[in-house]
Amino acid sequence: QRFEILPRHREAIDEALRALGGQPAQNRSLTALCLYLQDNGLKTALGHYTGDRPMGRMLDSREDNLSLSRFSVFEVESLMGMGKENLIPVLTYLFRRIRKALQGQPAMIILDEAWVMLGDPVFRAEIRDWLKTMRKANCAVVLATQSLSDAAESGIMSVLEESCPSKIFLPNFQANSDNQLPHYQGLNLNAAQIGIIRSAIPKRDYYVTSPAGRRLVQLTLTRRQLAFLGSSSKEDIARIKDLRDLHGEGWPWVWLKERTGVDH
């Protein structure tokens, strides 16, 4: 909430946390923390995240009931539109829970629309740390962004280059423009490789670089595969939900017929 935290505020927070720590686990919440705070300014700032206030439903609870499965997805599109004062606390919490869940089992963290996180100093530092340390936890980190300029301007381009040995480039007919060229060169691509990216066909070709080599590849998906893997628009998702409600577990066959015109 953009409240300036001074030494006396830190002391007030520490005292409140100590008092709250002496309470039973079911009585520990942000609302309870506000009751112990002896500073009205802090109470007002923290109150935004409590009870029936805008972010209370996400962050204020007597117990942490978020359950992580083998495959967990967090959709943050709505959250991203609510401003950093709401985005940062929630993502910080999710990052902490994800880190605690890594116990050495093979894992992968995929950050889609990574430009949002690269543009924020809090998450930029978190990503820098992840790229350097997650290998020890047997976890791979995948960053996906639509613009190389976001990565270049993040201040951690050198870390991205060193810690991301495998890279997948999408076609970009402006790859050799004055604005784009330095970004590709910064990722150690030569003129010939940049030319391949420039002339590649969108939505079909992908240029992959890794320690094993570099090559232009195609997924060569069938029509049936594209019916699912290539359907990600809001309209597609809404239609799939409607079909699921109408046909239950049989919805994929109806969807395939609509997309391909063939009974399967």
Side-chain angles (χ1 to χ4, degrees):
Q1 288 296 293
R2 309 181 192 278
F3 184 84
E4 184 180 3
I5 302 296
L6 301 175
R8 61 185 176 86
H9 298 128
R10 297 183 186 278
E11 183 176 352
I13 293 172
D14 183 65
E15 291 177 355
L17 286 172
R18 290 178 183 274
L20 189 63
Q23 297 296 315
Q26 65 270 22
N27 292 339
R28 299 172 191 168
S29 65
L30 287 181
T31 293
L33 179 63
C34 283
L35 295 176
Y36 285 103
L37 281 173
Q38 301 301 308
D39 184 282
N40 290 331
L42 282 175
K43 284 179 177 287
T44 300
L46 192 60
H48 177 76
Y49 307 98
T50 63
D52 58 358
R53 301 291 295 278
M55 296 303 293
R57 63 186 180 87
M58 289 191 181
L59 297 172
D60 190 17
S61 177
R62 292 186 177 184
E63 62 179 352
D64 187 344
N65 55 13
L66 174 67
S67 60
L68 297 177
S69 65
R70 293 182 60 187
F71 183 72
S72 299
V73 179
F74 300 96
E75 173 56 65
V76 297
E77 181 179 7
S78 298
L79 190 64
M80 287 164 51
M82 298 173 66
K84 290 185 177 181
E85 63 272 15
N86 298 313
L87 175 68
I88 291 177
V90 176
L91 287 186
T92 300
Y93 161 72
L94 292 177
F95 282 2
R96 175 174 172 80
R97 286 298 311 275
I98 291 171
R99 183 182 288 274
K100 291 178 65 177
L102 299 176
Q103 302 297 324
Q105 75 277 27
M108 179 181 292
I109 299 174
I110 302 175
L111 302 176
D112 195 15
E113 302 292 357
W115 59 271
V116 176
M117 301 169 195
L118 291 173
D120 185 272
V122 174
F123 301 112
R124 188 162 59 239
E126 186 78 14
I127 291 174
R128 178 196 294 269
D129 181 64
W130 278 11
L131 291 175
K132 290 185 175 182
T133 64
M134 282 302 183
R135 293 180 187 177
K136 299 178 182 178
N138 202 19
C139 178
V141 179
V142 178
L143 302 178
T145 181
Q146 297 183 12
S147 174
L148 275 182
S149 61
D150 295 317
E153 296 168 3
S154 67
I156 62 170
M157 190 65 165
S158 59
V159 177
L160 295 175
E161 166 59 22
E162 296 170 1
S163 302
C164 297
S166 299
K167 304 177 183 64
I168 302 175
F169 297 92
L170 274 63
N172 181 5
F173 72 93
Q174 294 183 330
N176 63 348
S177 67
D178 293 341
N179 292 332
Q180 299 287 328
L181 184 61
H183 302 326
Y184 287 100
Q185 292 173 333
L187 293 174
N188 292 328
L189 295 180
N190 58 37
Q193 293 165 337
I194 296 173
I196 292 174
I197 294 174
R198 181 177 179 275
S199 59
I201 299 176
K203 298 184 178 182
R204 193 190 74 175
D205 297 333
Y206 302 87
Y207 189 63
V208 180
T209 68
S210 73
R214 307 182 178 212
R215 178 169 294 183
L216 188 71
V217 302
Q218 298 176 3
L219 297 182
T220 60
L221 298 175
T222 66
R223 292 178 64 190
R224 295 179 64 179
Q225 292 167 336
L226 279 172
F228 293 99
L229 298 180
S231 302
S232 59
S233 68
K234 292 183 178 180
E235 294 77 13
D236 290 339
I237 300 302
R239 179 56 180 163
I240 288 174
K241 289 181 178 179
D242 290 340
L243 292 178
R244 186 178 59 187
D245 293 338
L246 290 172
H247 302 280
E249 295 184 359
W251 73 263
W253 308 112
V254 182
W255 173 252
L256 277 173
K257 183 176 182 180
E258 287 188 2
R259 300 293 287 189
T260 66
V262 179
D263 288 315
H264 297 276

